[in-house]
């Protein structure tokens, strides 16, 4: 373990030096200071023109585009321009100090070497080639300098580079468009004279082999340009041609009439091959409803198709998140059995259930549940299992049983009957007030005592977890409204 940590430290130091070298290389190729760059098309409306060049003595700029409509492409920079130094390739392995790590493919549970690679991936101890998007000192304000390269650090020329622009405005509504250019033989591309106002948001995208590679959304710095480096990887539709280690978290919230279930998957890809699945489907439990997908990173999408959710998009090297929620009916029984879908190549899973003191959680697929506390101090139960280290078969879905749930019993029925009786009593009281004057003091006192007794019984049922908060609030409101009507008849 000490050797792994030491090698990992050296790898990170190497990565830091490589990035410094890369920044200098890209600035040299993308300073955008030549006459051709300064003569680019008119800037986006509202953008201050840039007149002062920076980084004197740099090489001529690469392709540049500014203010053109979607689809407009500028010519590549002159082929006589001095090529920038090629950045270093992927960093060394954290496993060995003498030779690079040979990254494995396939299921993380295939062998001990596979398990070790998955463990390094999920704890972020495996250095990987990452995209870069940051404000860069020395680059001209309003400019975006881009380098497109392969996993070995070789420049990729002739790639279409898209700049997505979004202007956010409450008064006028959001407006978006796209600009296009092409990387030159040195892999460089650029856009100049872009707005640095805070209401503008940008994203650089390159699509290749059915995959999409993105800088992520960013806003321009007012003093410096933006440096973007995109790594383009080979693609495969087969998950076993790369290395995916998945983690799953389920948060279950029991409510009066439903179970609200939040799901988070983290997918770690540690092989320099992007997985672009043809048919990646998550099969939801029977009778699941109210499916809702959270925002996913990159071009990943969750699309509901019948009783399944289809996952589309690019799962490239690095970490990706998929998050969604759905509901299951709560029949009001003391015990509930849940089936929770796992992603492919799961290496660990966790279930977190908000609970009362009477509730329990068990799963044949996970270790024994332990009591914990939520961020607001509420009691919860948590069960988990690390499949990398457990001598157990990984299931395709988790089975979970929740016991000690509050039962509906006669509570909701009594509440409904009581509400109907009180509604009828209110009508009767109103009629009596019009026809014969206020209710007799004896009848009013009897009704008041009845309602107060019901309020006490309701409070006991709620504190004893016999009814849920929704039933409690609705019934309490009905009883209080009835008390108000009774008092009103006394003054009529």
């Amino acid at each position: 373990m000490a050797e792994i940590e030491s090698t990992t430290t050296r790898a990170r130091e190497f990565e830091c030096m490589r990035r410094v070298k890369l920044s200098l290389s890209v600035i040299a190729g993308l300073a955008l200071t030549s006459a051709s760059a300064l003569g680019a098309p008119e800037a986006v409306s509202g953008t201050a023109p840039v007149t002062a060049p920076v980084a004197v003595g740099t090489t001529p700029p690469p392709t540049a585009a500014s203010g053109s409509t979607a689809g407009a492409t500028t010519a590549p920079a002159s082929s006589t321009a001095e090529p920038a130094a090629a950045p270093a390739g992927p960093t060394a392995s954290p496993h060995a100090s003498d030779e690079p790590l040979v990254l494995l493919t396939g299921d993380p549970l295939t062998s001990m070497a596979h398990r070790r690679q998955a463990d390094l991936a999920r704890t972020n101890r495996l250095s990987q080639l990452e995209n870069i998007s940051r404000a860069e000192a020395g680059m001209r304000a309003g400019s975006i300098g881009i380098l497109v390269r392969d996993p070995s650090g070789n420049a990729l020329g002739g790639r279409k580079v898209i700049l997505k622009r979004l202007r956010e405005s409450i008064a006028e509504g959001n407006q978006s468009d796209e600009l296009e250019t092409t990387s030159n033989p040195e892999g460089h591309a650029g856009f100049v004279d872009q707005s640095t106002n805070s209401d503008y948001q940008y994203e650089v995208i390159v699509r290749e082999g059915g995959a999409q590679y993105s800088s992520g959304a960013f806003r321009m710095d007012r003093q410096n340009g933006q440096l973007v480096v995109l790594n383009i990887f080979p693609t495969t539709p087969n998950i076993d041609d790369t290395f995916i280690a998945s983690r799953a978290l389920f948060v279950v919230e029991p409510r009066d009439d439903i179970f609200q279930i939040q799901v988070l998957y983290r997918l770690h890809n540690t092989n320099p091959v992007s997985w672009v699945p043809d048919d990646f489907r998550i099969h939801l439990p029977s009778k699941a409803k109210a499916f809702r997908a959270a925002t996913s990173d990159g071009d990943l999408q969750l699309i509901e198709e019948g009783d399944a959710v289809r996952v589309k998009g690019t799962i490239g090297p690095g970490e990706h998140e998929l998050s969604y929620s759905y509901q299951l009916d709560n029949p009001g029984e003391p015990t509930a059995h849940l089936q929770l879908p796992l992603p492919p190549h799961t290496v660990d899973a966790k279930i977190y259930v908000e609970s009362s003191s009477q509730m329990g959680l068990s799963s044949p697929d996970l270790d024994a549940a332990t009591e914990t506390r939520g961020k607001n101090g509420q009691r919860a139960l948590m069960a988990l299992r690390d499949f990398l280290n457990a001598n157990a078969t990984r299931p395709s879905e988790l089975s979970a049983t929740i016991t000690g749930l509050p039962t509906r019993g006669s509570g909701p029925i009594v509440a409904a009957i009581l509400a109907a009786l009180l509604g009828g009593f209110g009508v009767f009281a109103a009629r009596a007030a019009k026809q014969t004057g206020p209710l007799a003091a004896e009848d009013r006192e009897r009704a008041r005592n009845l309602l107060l007794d019901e309020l006490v019984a309701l409070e006991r049922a709620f504190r004893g977890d016999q009814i849920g908060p929704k039933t409690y609030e609705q019934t309490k409101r009905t009883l209080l409204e009835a008390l108000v009507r009774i008092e009103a008849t006394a003054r009529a």
Side-chain angles (χ1 to χ4, degrees):
M1 181 60 71
E3 180 183 357
I4 291 177
E5 296 296 339
S6 175
T7 308
T8 303
T9 301
R10 291 196 297 274
R12 288 174 177 166
E13 291 173 350
F14 176 79
E15 174 70 6
C16 181
M17 295 175 62
R18 185 184 67 80
R19 289 190 177 187
V20 171
K21 180 180 178 181
L22 173 62
S23 297
L24 296 175
S25 169
V26 176
I27 290 173
L30 301 174
L32 306 176
T33 58
S34 71
S36 61
L38 293 176
E42 184 181 354
V44 179
S45 176
T47 303
V50 179
T51 56
V54 296
V56 177
T58 58
T59 57
T63 305
S66 172
S68 58
T69 58
T73 304
T74 59
S78 171
S79 60
T80 60
E82 181 182 354
T91 59
S93 162
H95 288 294
S97 56
D98 297 327
E99 59 184 57
L101 170 69
V102 178
L103 293 174
L104 303 171
T105 61
D107 192 312
L109 302 188
T110 301
S111 69
M112 288 305 299
H114 285 77
R115 291 170 185 259
R116 186 163 54 251
Q117 180 172 319
D119 186 49
L120 290 171
R122 68 179 177 181
T123 52
N124 297 317
R125 290 182 290 151
L126 186 61
S127 297
Q128 298 185 58
L129 197 62
E130 297 178 348
N131 292 335
I132 296 172
S133 177
R134 64 169 182 253
E136 188 76 6
M139 288 185 63
R140 180 178 168 187
S143 66
I144 303 172
I146 303 153
L147 173 64
V148 185
R149 66 182 185 182
D150 67 15
S152 298
N154 300 315
L156 295 177
R159 267 53 177 191
K160 183 169 72 173
V161 180
I162 300 170
L163 177 66
K164 298 180 70 173
R165 305 187 298 186
L166 171 65
R167 181 174 182 267
E168 301 170 320
S169 172
I170 297 177
E172 302 176 8
N174 294 346
Q175 300 176 6
S176 63
D177 66 354
E178 294 183 357
L179 308 180
E180 292 183 4
T181 187
T182 303
S183 61
N184 69 7
E186 288 75 43
H188 296 153
F191 300 90
V192 297
D193 295 339
Q194 301 304 309
S195 175
T196 59
N197 293 339
S198 60
D199 56 348
Y200 277 86
Q201 182 173 283
Y202 302 91
E203 181 182 12
V204 176
I205 292 174
V206 172
R207 298 187 178 101
E208 182 158 318
Q212 175 174 297
Y213 302 94
S214 166
S215 65
F218 62 89
R219 300 182 191 276
M220 297 291 289
D221 185 90
R222 290 187 180 274
Q223 285 77 39
N224 305 292
Q226 186 78 8
L227 169 66
V228 174
V229 179
L230 293 182
N231 303 292
I232 309 303
F233 300 91
T235 61
T236 179
N238 183 0
I239 188 173
D240 289 323
D241 289 340
T242 185
F243 190 93
I244 304 293
S246 305
R247 311 179 71 190
L249 169 64
F250 302 90
V251 178
V252 181
E253 180 186 353
R255 299 181 182 175
D256 287 344
D257 51 354
I258 62 166
F259 292 99
Q260 178 71 32
I261 301 175
Q262 305 280 342
V263 183
L264 173 65
Y265 298 151
R266 282 199 175 96
L267 282 67
H268 301 264
N269 185 350
T270 65
N271 199 282
V273 176
S274 295
W275 180 36
V276 184
D278 284 338
D279 192 22
F280 176 13
R281 296 174 188 270
I282 302 167
H283 291 278
L284 296 176
S286 175
K287 299 182 180 180
K289 60 183 182 181
F291 171 83
R292 184 173 180 272
T295 302
S296 302
D297 57 16
D299 64 333
L300 287 174
Q301 299 179 63
L302 294 172
I303 305 169
E304 187 176 11
E305 295 181 353
D307 61 349
V309 177
R310 185 180 179 189
V311 181
K312 294 183 63 178
T314 307
I315 303 175
E319 179 182 304
H320 304 268
E321 288 191 354
L322 296 173
S323 180
Y324 64 93
S325 64
Y326 60 91
Q327 296 175 355
L328 295 173
D329 288 331
N330 181 358
E333 301 296 332
T335 301
H337 302 281
L338 304 179
Q339 297 296 122
L340 305 172
L342 289 174
H345 292 188
T346 302
V347 297
D348 59 61
K350 180 187 299 183
I351 301 177
Y352 176 96
V353 180
E354 297 181 1
S355 68
S356 66
S357 57
Q358 288 78 31
M359 289 170 57
L361 169 66
S362 63
S363 171
D365 307 311
L366 304 177
D367 300 331
T370 58
E371 183 176 337
T372 185
R373 295 286 170 180
K375 62 181 180 180
N376 296 323
Q378 74 273 23
R379 181 181 185 268
L381 295 171
M382 184 169 62
L384 56 88
R385 176 162 291 180
D386 181 357
F387 296 108
L388 289 181
N389 299 317
N391 295 320
T393 302
R394 177 182 59 205
S396 58
E397 62 179 8
L398 294 181
S399 298
T401 300
I402 304 174
T403 58
L405 289 163
T407 58
R408 291 184 183 176
S410 59
I413 299 174
V414 170
I417 294 175
L418 179 61
L421 289 175
L422 292 174
F425 175 76
V427 174
F428 168 77
R431 289 178 179 174
K434 291 181 179 180
Q435 296 176 5
T436 61
L439 288 175
E442 181 181 351
D443 293 335
R444 189 168 58 253
E445 184 66 21
R446 185 183 303 113
R448 184 188 295 112
N449 290 337
L450 173 63
L451 291 172
L452 291 174
D453 289 342
E454 290 296 336
L455 279 169
V456 171
L458 177 69
E459 194 69 29
R460 287 174 178 169
F462 177 65
R463 294 186 179 185
D465 291 327
Q466 296 175 359
I467 59 173
K470 184 177 180 181
T471 299
Y472 170 73
E473 292 295 340
Q474 290 178 343
T475 308
K476 183 179 180 179
R477 183 165 54 250
T478 301
L479 291 170
L480 291 175
E481 289 173 354
L483 278 171
V484 171
R485 288 198 296 269
I486 289 174
E487 294 304 321
T489 63
R491 296 189 299 270

